[in-house]
Amino acid sequence: MNALTRAATTQAPRVAAAARAQSTLPLGKFKKETFSKAWMQDSGTYPILVIMSFASFGWVGFLGYKMAYCPSVRITNKTRGQVIRTWK
C-alpha cells in the first residue's frame, strides 16, 4: 500500500465522523450574532477592511478618471455612435 492510499484510508473515517458530529448539533444553541459583534471585535478583521477599502477607492477613482479624461469613453448622445472621432 502506498503512502497516499494509506493516508486516505486513515483520514477519511475521521473526517466523516467529524461531519456527522457537526451535523447533529441542535440549532437552538447558537445565537445569531450582529455584524459588529461577529466582525468588529476580531482584530484580524481590521487589515482586511483597510485593504478592501483601499481597493474600492482605487477602482472607483480609476473609473472616474477614465470616464472624465479618456477620449475613447463616449457618454454624450452626439458622440456615442460615431466610429471616427470628429471632436477634440
Side-chain angles (χ1 to χ4, degrees), residues 3 12 23 25 48-49 67 77 84:
S23 65
L25 292 174
I48 295 170
L49 290 176
M67 294 276 293
N77 290 336
I84 300 173

Side-chain angles (χ1 to χ4, degrees), residues 18-88:
R20 278 192 305 274
Q22 289 176 356
S23 65
T24 59
L25 292 174
L27 296 176
K29 291 185 178 181
F30 300 108
K31 296 180 181 177
K32 290 188 176 185
E33 296 181 355
T34 61
F35 175 79
S36 62
K37 189 171 184 179
W39 286 91
M40 302 310 270
Q41 290 182 353
D42 186 13
S43 61
T45 305
Y46 296 120
I48 295 170
L49 290 176
V50 169
I51 291 169
M52 294 298 288
S53 300
F54 182 74
S56 297
F57 286 126
W59 76 261
V60 167
F62 185 73
L63 178 70
Y65 168 75
K66 286 295 185 180
M67 294 276 293
Y69 297 110
C70 186
S72 297
V73 178
R74 302 174 206 154
I75 300 172
T76 62
N77 290 336
K78 296 176 187 175
T79 60
R80 192 178 296 162
Q82 293 182 354
V83 178
I84 300 173
R85 293 185 195 157
T86 56
W87 65 93
K88 289 185 179 186

